[in-house]
Amino acid sequence: GPTGPTTPMATDPTRPDVPRHPTDPLIERGDHLAAVDTALARASVAPGGSIVVVEAAPGAGLTAVLDHVGATAAPRWRTATVRADDLDAGIPFSVLHRVVEALHGLPGAVPISDQAAALALAPVLDPARLLDGLDPAAEAPALVVGLGWLLEHLTEDVPLLVVVDDAHLADEASLGVLATTWSRCRLPMVLLVGAHPAPAPGGALERLRSTST
């Protein structure tokens, strides 16, 4: 997806809207929040579909940082936050299921009235089908189209922030759809991904990391 400059803005005292956690080890470094703030500022004025991946070891306060960023972004942004867990890796599109449900629950979200889009997203909205197992290769193209339609409507009047925490636990299919959708959509939106550092590169999380601002 499009990337922008990473000029640090998180420590600017003239920006009271910028998230700050002065006691958090991540914020003491400042680099991650600078990237997040840059992506938010860029997406609020120009379409881009920015991706920011923030990695930190367990216990470093990453979840608190992501939660604070999401809370601070409102009400100027529509914000949806989901968290992966230990069961997700074995269930294709389980994290995408949470993302779509969270997007539907946002204030101002429009219902899916377009029949093609509704059909495209139907597989991930049905828990029974998820548990039965969906074929990532067969389902992903239509899911990218349906998710793109939903994102387009959600960003008509305000930018959108989607936060995925503990993404190192997420299923590959969900991360793949998110990466593809964000790379294709020229919309004012940011995908903020939090994860523990991977022991070895590879997979959809690495793809997200490679396009991160």
Side-chain angles (χ1 to χ4, degrees):
T3 60
T6 57
T7 303
M9 288 187 277
T11 58
D12 187 346
T14 67
R15 296 287 303 278
D17 57 321
V18 171
R20 286 182 177 82
H21 256 258
T23 61
D24 193 289
L26 284 179
I27 307 312
E28 290 176 2
R29 293 207 311 269
D31 52 350
H32 292 308
L33 272 217
V36 173
D37 189 48
T38 297
L40 294 179
R42 180 177 180 273
S44 67
V45 298
S50 297
I51 298 171
V52 180
V53 177
V54 179
E55 295 182 290
L62 180 56
T63 293
V65 171
L66 299 181
D67 288 346
H68 191 70
V69 169
T72 306
R76 300 178 314 283
W77 291 65
R78 285 197 174 97
T79 303
T81 300
V82 301
R83 183 164 291 117
D85 61 39
D86 293 329
L87 299 178
D88 286 321
I91 306 175
F93 303 117
S94 56
V95 169
L96 185 62
H97 165 81
R98 294 198 196 106
V99 169
V100 172
E101 284 203 327
L103 293 175
H104 278 305
L106 289 175
V110 294
I112 293 184
S113 55
D114 180 87
Q115 187 64 22
L119 290 173
L121 292 173
V124 298
L125 292 173
D126 185 344
R129 293 183 66 180
L130 282 176
L131 293 175
D132 284 343
L134 295 170
D135 181 356
E139 301 288 351
L143 290 171
V144 168
V145 172
L147 180 60
W149 182 93
L150 183 58
L151 294 171
E152 181 178 353
H153 283 263
L154 284 169
T155 56
E156 284 182 342
D157 53 347
V158 293
L160 174 69
L161 171 65
V162 176
V163 182
V164 179
D165 194 7
D166 288 336
H168 55 283
L169 301 174
D171 64 282
E172 285 283 305
S174 291
L175 296 182
V177 167
L178 291 172
T180 299
T181 305
W182 250 257
S183 69
R184 292 182 180 180
C185 291
R186 300 288 298 172
L187 299 170
M189 60 187 189
V190 173
L191 176 63
L192 175 56
V193 178
H196 295 169
L205 184 56
E206 176 64 22
R207 181 180 170 194
L208 288 169
R209 188 185 297 111
S210 70
T211 56
S212 176
T213 54

